[in-house]
Amino acid sequence: MKIAGVQFKPKFGKTENNIKKVLDIIDSVETDVIIFPELCLSGYFFLSRNEVDKISLDFRSDEINELQKKSTSQNKIVIFGFAEKSGDKLFNSSAILFPDKKLSTVYRKIHLFYKERFCFDKGEKPFFVIEDKSKDITIGPMICYDWRFPEASRSLALLGADLIVCPSNLVTAVWHKVMPARAIENKVYFAVINRIGTEKRNNEELFFNGESVIYGYNGEILAKAGVEDEKIIHAEIFPELTRKKSFNEFNDIFSDRRPYMYNL
Ligand code: ACM
């Protein structure tokens, strides 16, 4: 199975433009799964709920449906971040679109970063995974700052994720030390797909530092982009290899767990 991560610079507030770019890239890349960054249909640095409200999209909107149709016609699993409006709630969400529309769903970011708390509601649906039987893969979604919580990856792995996808807009580089460990301790593939570029609002500038990575389940780097380059990274993965959690004849990282000792 082939997966691809798209590192690029969304244009803040230019939804139509960003969607066109995402649609064109989906067309042009030969892959089974394609992952784009967090909030890539809108840009990142919102300052108020009012701003988000104006640009956010319902998961059942025509715009998202156009991306769904592309997923189906191209037979690709498509994952991207967008500002979601659901009734009077606003979420920092990822769409996980499957060729079979019935499987398509939305993950709402559980841990909000920095000024997101002034703009979005916290996701209230616990971590979940989606199995696509026809492609024989189970995908576990999280978004960016969720990485700081090892419980996020652990929850997804215990639910059966083969591949954790983490659309991101990262502004630090410390995650590089941690994410390979999340892949190893859970024996899962892990794709952190970041954006590049800067956004300046009210004299505050955020620099998004790229370096998107796809990790193998032993924590090895399968593909990596640079700090500033617009780039599509590719890897071949074998989801079934993540499902046996033993690493010698006596140890299994899941059945050796002793949750009642952990005081969580
Ligand atoms: C982040 O959650 N965008 C760092």
Side-chain angles (χ1 to χ4, degrees):
M1 159 168 288
K2 290 179 182 160
I3 71 171
V6 182
Q7 174 170 297
F8 78 112
K9 179 182 176 180
K11 291 198 169 81
F12 186 80
K14 305 274 185 219
T15 307
E16 220 180 291
N17 223 289
N18 295 327
I19 290 179
K20 180 166 186 336
K21 175 142 192 164
V22 167
L23 286 166
D24 288 348
I25 293 172
I26 298 168
D27 268 333
S28 71
V29 179
E30 200 208 310
T31 189
D32 300 292
V33 182
I34 186 162
I35 307 149
F36 292 86
E38 177 184 14
L39 289 175
C40 70
L41 301 191
S42 60
Y44 179 79
F45 201 3
F46 292 103
L47 297 176
S48 67
R49 287 183 72 87
N50 199 27
E51 277 188 354
V52 178
D53 192 50
K54 287 195 186 115
I55 201 173
S56 48
L57 298 170
D58 192 288
F59 186 56
R60 285 167 296 272
S61 60
D62 292 346
E63 290 89 340
I64 303 289
N65 198 36
E66 201 175 343
L67 286 146
Q68 173 63 59
K69 283 193 264 176
K70 185 65 78 184
S71 162
T72 303
S73 65
Q74 289 277 319
N75 192 25
K76 291 169 185 160
I77 300 172
V78 177
I79 296 146
F80 59 87
F82 72 109
E84 184 197 3
K85 187 199 304 273
S86 175
D88 59 357
K89 300 275 192 189
L90 300 168
F91 299 103
N92 178 342
S93 295
S94 278
I96 307 109
L97 306 181
F98 292 84
D100 176 0
K101 186 178 173 177
K102 287 192 298 301
L103 296 175
S104 296
T105 188
V106 69
Y107 164 71
R108 295 168 172 163
K109 191 175 186 179
I110 288 176
H111 305 98
L112 295 182
F113 178 70
Y114 195 50
K115 294 182 177 174
E116 289 171 26
R117 66 190 55 224
F118 305 122
C119 306
F120 295 100
D121 296 288
K122 287 183 192 146
E124 295 297 344
K125 180 174 173 189
F127 286 104
F128 64 91
V129 298
I130 318 102
E131 182 183 13
D132 183 336
K133 285 199 168 71
S134 69
K135 288 199 184 283
D136 191 23
I137 187 166
T138 298
I139 293 182
M142 58 191 248
I143 298 176
C144 203
Y145 178 56
D146 286 329
W147 77 265
R148 288 242 183 200
F149 304 86
E151 297 88 347
S153 326
R154 182 59 109 199
S155 303
L156 294 169
L158 288 173
L159 288 166
D162 306 313
L163 166 67
I164 295 179
V165 292
C166 186
S168 294
N169 280 189
L170 287 147
V171 292
T172 70
V174 285
W175 59 273
H176 289 284
K177 293 193 168 79
V178 173
M179 301 323 276
R182 298 290 94 84
I184 297 165
E185 70 201 6
N186 293 298
K187 198 176 175 190
V188 291
Y189 290 98
F190 216 121
V192 183
I193 305 306
N194 198 12
R195 61 163 285 176
I196 52 170
T198 55
E199 284 184 7
K200 190 169 181 181
R201 308 292 315 281
N202 277 0
N203 293 322
E204 184 177 5
E205 190 167 271
L206 294 181
F207 171 65
F208 304 98
N209 53 16
E211 292 197 287
S212 300
V213 186
I214 300 170
Y215 296 100
Y217 55 80
N218 287 317
E220 72 278 29
I221 291 176
L222 301 179
K224 184 173 181 181
V227 175
E228 295 189 88
D229 47 334
E230 186 156 322
K231 188 171 168 83
I232 302 175
I233 57 174
H234 299 267
E236 185 169 15
I237 67 167
F238 303 89
E240 68 281 5
L241 298 183
T242 67
R243 294 172 196 160
K244 270 214 180 84
K245 300 295 183 181
S246 59
F247 62 94
N248 64 35
E249 68 182 298
F250 301 115
N251 292 109
D252 178 296
I253 54 172
F254 278 11
S255 60
D256 286 345
R257 293 175 68 249
R258 302 181 67 197
Y260 42 90
M261 304 295 278
Y262 300 156
N263 237 336
L264 291 175

